[in-house]
Amino acid sequence: MSTLRPLIPLLITAGLLLGGNGLQGTLIAMRGSLEGFQASTIGFIGTFYFLGFLLGCLTISRMMRAVGHVRSFAALAAIAAAGTLLLVLVIDPVMWSAVRFATGFCFSGLFTVMESWLNSGASNADRARVLALYRIIDIGSVTGAQFMIPVLGADGFTIFAIMSMMITLSLVPVSIADRSNPTPPEEVKLDLAKVWRISPLGSIGCIAVGITNSAFRTLSPVYAEQIGLSVADVATFVSVSIFGGAVIQYPLGYLSDRWDRRTVLLVSTAGSLGAALALVFLAGSEPLANFILVFIFGSFAMPLYSLSAAHANDRAGKGEFVLVNAALMLFYSIGAIGGPVTASWFMQHFGPQSLFLFSAGVYLIFIVIIVYRMGTRSSVPDAKRGRFTALLRTSTVFAKLARAGESEDSSGKS
């Protein structure tokens, strides 16, 4: 435990940032609905967040090389905290879109800085424990933060002030703890065409997950409100989906290490499709039915990114691990830009259930592609198949942290 002590401030920072970011995504949708924003407007605002996130992924390493970890983190946290307050001071869709673009950029950068710091500070012997703690903090902070909304309310100033304080307080552990300034990560080489050739299915999977998961995270609070759930039920609805995805991805990953990974990807996508259709046609407005079905939906839908990435890494060559995972993160972000605005159009014209009908359509297309690829390309031999790794979509650096002590060359097969 003593070797992990220097990393505790960074893990505290992670909890504050993950919780604040998860809370803001839900609150934007709920407060927007209270202010009379249409679903299409909320989806448009969500698209700007992912545009900023994509830009952050592409540029933040340059900032870190120019001014270092601490100054980069301080600048980004200050902008994100100020932007959070601006959301409640100026209730306007155009302003909210601009602020969400800025916060998307900032959170992409903050997670990159933090995960780069963790990656630099974690020894190979401790890396697996650091990763486990980080995932526990992610699940606990994001799901727990949702319940600040029913406690504090979505219609006042207080919850925005609390969010701003969470982002600002994330500076404290970083500022007073480890005084080292690790070497900034090298700028990741991006070759989307090469990675597409390595694994078309993995690339398409990440785009599809970007479309559906971003639509769900942006618009699921709107769906829950429009079918008549209370504020507490909305928070529960969002939380159980996240929890389901976190718990079930490990059994799915275990199976994917032993079967053709595409078979598990097909089963998980089919499960997502079935749960989405059940939410459309069976859930109605009953809270318990929606909780159960969205738990099942999250259990199958949330692990799809990690399963797609694992399949792509099985196809990668020696030393291509970083290249592949950086490109997959970009493919996800590209899909995420289009998801909220497209799904919100369907919700605007066909009602709240069309959020899941839209997702079901994407999953159906992906199933057809999986079946086609299984018929045109043989499976990866067991000897060349790596271990499944559950990946967060916070930055391009997370994949390095998730190597769990393995060398890059061996991880290029995982």
Side-chain angles (χ1 to χ4, degrees):
M1 183 64 186
S2 60
T3 56
L4 293 179
R5 191 171 293 122
L7 299 178
I8 290 175
L10 289 173
L11 294 171
I12 294 172
T13 295
L16 291 168
L17 287 178
L18 289 163
N21 189 40
L23 173 61
Q24 188 173 118
T26 304
L27 182 61
I28 286 287
M30 296 183 67
R31 182 60 178 265
S33 293
L34 290 174
E35 297 294 343
F37 293 178
Q38 296 181 332
S40 57
T41 302
I42 295 171
F44 189 74
I45 293 168
T47 285
F48 270 85
Y49 172 84
F50 290 105
L51 275 169
F53 188 88
L54 175 60
L55 181 63
C57 288
L58 294 172
T59 61
I60 188 59
S61 59
R62 299 175 193 173
M63 178 189 293
M64 293 169 66
R65 286 199 302 276
V67 301
H69 284 63
V70 175
R71 287 191 176 95
S72 296
F73 193 95
L76 293 167
I79 295 170
T84 299
L85 291 177
L86 194 57
L87 289 170
V88 72
L89 295 174
V90 183
I91 308 294
D92 177 76
V94 175
M95 177 60 74
W96 278 28
S97 297
V99 170
R100 285 297 279 168
F101 177 85
T103 53
F105 177 88
C106 289
F107 276 111
S108 173
L110 289 167
F111 289 131
T112 300
V113 173
M114 182 182 61
E115 289 168 4
S116 173
W117 220 328
L118 283 170
N119 185 58
S120 176
S123 66
N124 283 345
D126 292 330
R127 194 174 296 269
R129 282 185 291 170
V130 170
L131 187 64
L133 284 172
Y134 191 62
R135 286 175 177 147
I136 291 170
I137 290 168
D138 172 52
I139 298 166
S141 59
V142 174
T143 55
Q146 305 301 315
F147 293 96
M148 294 176 66
I149 299 175
V151 172
L152 300 173
D155 56 349
F157 176 82
T158 302
I159 194 164
F160 287 89
I162 294 293
M163 278 195 303
S164 181
M165 289 170 61
M166 290 173 69
I167 298 168
T168 304
L169 288 173
S170 72
L171 281 163
V172 176
V174 169
S175 301
I176 65 176
D178 187 1
R179 297 181 182 179
S180 65
N181 201 15
T183 303
E186 296 180 3
E187 190 167 358
V188 177
K189 179 183 177 183
L190 293 174
D191 192 339
L192 299 184
K194 180 177 180 179
V195 174
W196 184 280
R197 289 192 298 270
I198 289 172
S199 179
L201 181 60
S203 301
I204 293 170
C206 290
I207 294 172
V209 174
I211 293 170
T212 55
N213 283 14
S214 66
F216 177 80
R217 279 299 288 121
T218 302
L219 296 166
S220 58
V222 179
Y223 161 85
E225 278 195 321
Q226 289 186 356
I227 65 170
L229 299 188
S230 68
V231 174
D233 286 342
V234 173
T236 304
F237 183 83
V238 174
S239 295
V240 296
S241 68
I242 298 169
F243 185 73
V247 171
I248 305 300
Q249 68 178 331
Y250 292 102
L252 288 173
Y254 176 84
L255 292 175
S256 77
D257 286 341
R258 283 149 182 81
W259 301 348
D260 182 347
R261 215 176 298 272
R262 295 172 301 181
T263 300
V264 180
L265 191 59
L266 179 62
V267 169
S268 190
T269 308
S272 304
L273 171 62
L277 292 176
L279 281 160
V280 173
F281 296 110
L282 301 178
S285 58
E286 173 60 36
L288 182 58
N290 275 277
F291 296 159
I292 293 171
L293 290 173
V294 84
F295 177 88
I296 297 170
F297 175 80
S299 298
F300 287 113
M302 301 306 166
L304 286 174
Y305 178 84
S306 296
L307 289 168
S308 297
H311 172 70
N313 283 312
D314 287 342
R315 298 287 185 186
K318 185 177 181 181
E320 291 179 333
F321 177 77
V322 174
L323 170 73
V324 168
N325 284 281
L328 294 179
M329 185 72 189
L330 267 293
F331 280 129
Y332 171 85
S333 299
I334 291 168
I337 290 169
V341 68
T342 307
S344 65
W345 184 89
F346 282 94
M347 292 182 71
Q348 185 74 32
H349 291 84
F350 304 107
Q353 283 81 7
S354 60
L355 168 63
F356 293 102
L357 199 60
F358 165 77
S359 297
V362 176
Y363 294 135
L364 180 60
I365 294 170
F366 188 40
I367 286 172
V368 172
I369 293 171
I370 295 171
V371 172
Y372 171 75
R373 294 300 300 174
M374 291 178 73
T376 58
R377 193 175 189 182
S378 60
S379 62
V380 178
D382 291 346
K384 293 185 178 181
R385 191 182 305 153
R387 290 187 307 167
F388 171 85
T389 300
L391 297 174
L392 299 182
R393 298 169 297 281
T394 46
S395 79
T396 55
V397 177
F398 183 80
K400 293 182 180 180
L401 180 63
R403 290 186 301 179
E406 297 178 23
S407 67
E408 180 175 328
D409 288 346
S410 64
S411 294
K413 312 306 294 181
S414 64

